[in-house]
Amino acid sequence: MTAGTTTGTVKEQAFDVLRRYGLTTLFSNPGSTEVGFLADLPADIEFVLGLHEGSVVGMATGHALATGSPALVLLHTTAGYGNAVSALATARANRAPLVVVVGQQDRRHLAHEPFLAGKLEGLAGEYPVWQHTPARPQDVPGALARAWHEAREGRGPAVVVVPMDDWAAPAEEGLPTAAPLAVDGRRTASDGAVESLAAFLSEAEAPCLVAGAGNDSPEGWRALTELAERLRCPVFQEAFGARAGFPQDHPLFAGHLPAVRSALRTALAPYDAVLVVGAAAFRQYPYAPGDFTEPGTRVALVTDDPEEAHRSPGELVLLAEPGDTVRRLLPLLSARDRIVPMPPRVLPAPPRETEPLRAAHVLAALAERLTPETVVVEETPSSRPALHALLPARAPLGFLSAAMGGLGFAMPAAIGLRRATPDRPVVAVLGDGSSLYSIQSLWSAAHYGVGVLFVVLANGRYAIMDRLSEREGAAAPAWPAFTELSVSTLARGLGCPAERVEDHASLLSALDKVLPGLAERREPLVLEVAVEADPEYPS
């Protein structure tokens, strides 16, 4: 397109903008205030329907994380935007760029607060990286262009509120001028800062590294692996990491950091220098008093997330792209001739088939059968430590979880991720309680032929909450179990193929049947596995 082109309506010009930025897949649950935009949708704009706004945003989040580019979401005024807030918070914590269009009532009677008028400003709190209501209809296309840049640079949801009558308004001539076509730039550490980081590591007798979700890229993995091998030091994964920042089958991988300060201090006590790459220092839950590290342990940090940089108590913090920074750091360091002591790793004992079927049996069976390029999307709080131990991430984007910690992410995110990477196997591992927060997304998986394997660990209760209640000294949890629930029945009711497994032999048979062809599969499958709840709280 060239300047001077005349486009008839705001809607037509808006679609030109969306095409220019590659926003041609639209994730939505439609409402009346968006019908003017959706009527006669152009053939090159693909509409992906989700049956709940949380699933809509979850699918878009998975798509954006897989492609690295903003995904497009359309939400319905207060009801849709409100339903989506938790998913938008997760998208922000997971650094997923989204362009979110929210419908609004007609401008011409907003002053009278008509039916379906939304008080939308601030509804999602501080989770959007940018929110804007254009002052006039002709500013909508430019606002969409700016939203793409805001989402991409802020790595989160950028929200544009559009009153329903704006789409039919006449557009101005030419292209919108509110945003550039492209922005070329990145956060690069100065030479002096990289030299200071090299000195920090060179002066250490026993350094260690901590990998975070922000290092989950091919360049990040390569650079951090070379750094660990040059320093001959252990590499931990951040606690509650939403993605893996280092190959977890590498001999120098030391496991996941503890999530409680007392245990974290013990884990890091043998090291006099800790370099955190692609994460904050340090993520914890629950609260415990005291410092993160023992006296004498120095902490440095490399992250391209300003919020992580600003809240981390490190003595040296570089706000820069992790992979590029570590790559520039390597020539400044000499290879060490002695290995820094590795912490002992206690892996779970292989489960015996004589035991009741538990989550560890399922995870061990998956570990024996999944290929390295498989993406595991996790949402099973009570089994997460076992999953980390038994299913190491072996390739970038090999592991994905909700950084916010809220439930309802894994099922739709796995769908969006597989749609964006159709030749990469995707397995979502969820608890039965977790699955209910976005169970309706299975309809989208079935309708659009998305070949995700959903492994639902069904123990008929909120096992993580039961264990936490026991820790508080309660004789019994205040909430009931829900053993009557059948996830496989719900899945089939939504048009999604499903099987229920209740013993070891059936589990292995089902996995052996579906996993060899998972990369080519174009139909989802829910595998509901009846498991006994783990008897202890995972630490």
Side-chain angles (χ1 to χ4, degrees):
M1 294 182 63
T2 58
T5 300
T6 302
T7 304
T9 64
V10 165
K11 173 180 171 178
E12 291 170 322
Q13 195 175 71
F15 281 123
D16 287 341
V17 169
L18 296 178
R19 293 184 185 100
R20 187 198 316 172
Y21 289 100
L23 296 171
T24 56
T25 299
L26 174 62
F27 297 90
S28 182
N29 181 268
S32 57
T33 51
E34 295 76 56
V35 168
F37 176 72
L38 294 171
D40 297 320
L41 196 68
D44 62 329
I45 304 297
E46 182 182 15
F47 186 99
V48 178
L49 175 63
L51 303 186
H52 183 274
E53 289 83 359
S55 294
V56 166
V57 174
M59 288 190 290
T61 298
H63 192 281
L65 292 174
T67 63
S69 297
L72 178 62
V73 176
L74 180 68
L75 299 175
H76 174 53
T77 191
T78 307
Y81 195 18
N83 282 344
V85 168
S86 177
L88 291 169
T90 296
R92 175 69 182 273
N94 275 79
R95 305 177 176 185
L98 304 178
V99 173
V100 183
V101 179
V102 179
Q104 174 63 293
Q105 250 289 1
D106 194 304
R107 280 182 191 267
R108 293 167 294 188
H109 64 165
L110 274 178
H112 303 289
E113 295 192 16
F115 181 67
L116 286 177
K119 296 183 178 180
L120 303 175
E121 194 71 34
L123 180 60
E126 297 183 5
Y127 293 118
V129 296
W130 184 69
Q131 179 166 330
H132 180 64
T133 302
R136 58 194 187 120
Q138 290 74 22
D139 295 332
V140 168
L144 294 175
R146 178 171 174 182
W148 186 89
H149 289 287
E150 296 283 359
R152 182 170 175 265
E153 299 305 315
R155 290 175 303 175
V159 176
V160 181
V161 176
V162 183
M164 59 190 297
D165 58 311
D166 283 10
W167 302 114
E172 291 184 335
E173 290 191 5
L175 293 176
T177 58
L181 180 60
V183 175
D184 186 2
R186 62 189 306 178
R187 294 188 177 95
T188 303
S190 67
D191 290 342
V194 176
E195 290 167 2
S196 296
L197 189 58
F200 172 87
L201 291 172
S202 297
E203 294 165 4
E205 290 292 328
C208 75
L209 306 175
V210 176
N215 197 56
D216 187 20
S217 69
E219 181 185 18
W221 277 42
R222 284 193 299 269
L224 198 61
T225 298
E226 187 172 346
L227 178 60
E229 291 172 350
R230 184 161 299 191
L231 297 177
R232 304 188 72 187
C233 73
V235 183
F236 296 91
Q237 174 71 34
E238 64 168 324
F240 299 114
R243 297 168 69 166
F246 184 81
Q248 295 176 351
D249 57 345
H250 193 282
L252 291 174
F253 183 62
H256 288 67
L257 282 180
V260 179
R261 291 193 188 194
S262 56
L264 177 66
R265 289 193 294 272
T266 300
L268 296 179
Y271 311 104
D272 57 351
V274 180
L275 173 60
V276 182
V277 180
F282 294 94
R283 209 162 190 210
Q284 298 280 278
Y285 181 80
Y287 170 75
D291 292 333
F292 291 122
T293 61
E294 298 287 359
T297 299
R298 305 166 67 197
V299 176
L301 187 82
V302 179
T303 177
D304 60 356
D305 186 318
E307 293 183 354
E308 286 184 348
H310 298 160
R311 70 175 182 263
S312 295
E315 66 174 75
L316 176 61
V317 176
L318 277 65
L319 182 56
E321 202 282 319
D324 175 70
T325 304
V326 174
R327 179 185 57 78
R328 291 171 55 206
L329 175 66
L330 290 167
L332 305 180
L333 295 170
S334 300
R336 291 180 179 243
D337 57 5
R338 62 184 181 84
I339 190 168
V340 177
M342 291 286 295
R345 288 197 67 193
V346 180
L347 298 178
R352 298 186 299 274
E353 290 194 8
T354 55
E355 300 176 51
L357 192 59
R358 295 192 188 278
H361 292 95
V362 183
L363 299 170
L366 286 171
E368 293 173 356
R369 291 163 173 79
L370 296 185
T371 58
E373 68 271 15
T374 301
V375 185
V376 175
V377 186
E378 177 271 331
E379 195 167 273
T380 173
S382 63
S383 305
R384 183 178 292 129
L387 186 145
H388 285 325
L390 294 169
L391 280 178
R394 294 175 283 171
L397 197 60
F399 173 80
L400 181 62
S401 184
M404 179 58 62
L407 301 179
F409 169 78
M411 195 169 271
I415 298 168
L417 193 151
R418 181 64 193 271
R419 280 182 56 86
T421 56
D423 297 322
R424 191 162 181 185
V426 177
V427 176
V429 182
L430 310 92
D432 51 351
S434 299
S435 72
L436 296 180
Y437 287 79
S438 53
I439 191 74
Q440 69 285 335
S441 63
L442 292 175
W443 178 90
S444 301
H447 181 81
Y448 294 104
V450 185
V452 175
L453 173 62
F454 300 94
V455 179
V456 179
L457 305 175
N459 53 37
R461 54 184 37 85
Y462 294 124
I464 188 73
M465 294 302 300
D466 293 351
R467 301 294 85 80
L468 287 171
S469 179
E470 291 169 7
R471 276 200 167 187
E472 293 295 319
W479 45 89
F482 40 87
T483 52
E484 308 90 343
L485 175 70
S486 171
V487 174
S488 53
T489 299
L490 292 172
R492 285 190 289 269
L494 290 162
C496 181
E499 299 177 21
R500 182 174 169 87
V501 167
E502 297 184 346
D503 58 67
H504 294 84
S506 299
L507 168 67
L508 300 183
S509 175
L511 293 178
D512 287 338
K513 181 173 63 175
V514 69
L515 289 179
L518 190 58
E520 295 78 33
R521 190 179 179 91
R522 295 296 178 263
E523 181 183 63
L525 176 65
V526 170
L527 194 63
E528 181 186 23
V529 186
V531 297
E532 293 288 330
D534 293 321
E536 296 179 356
Y537 175 77
S539 56

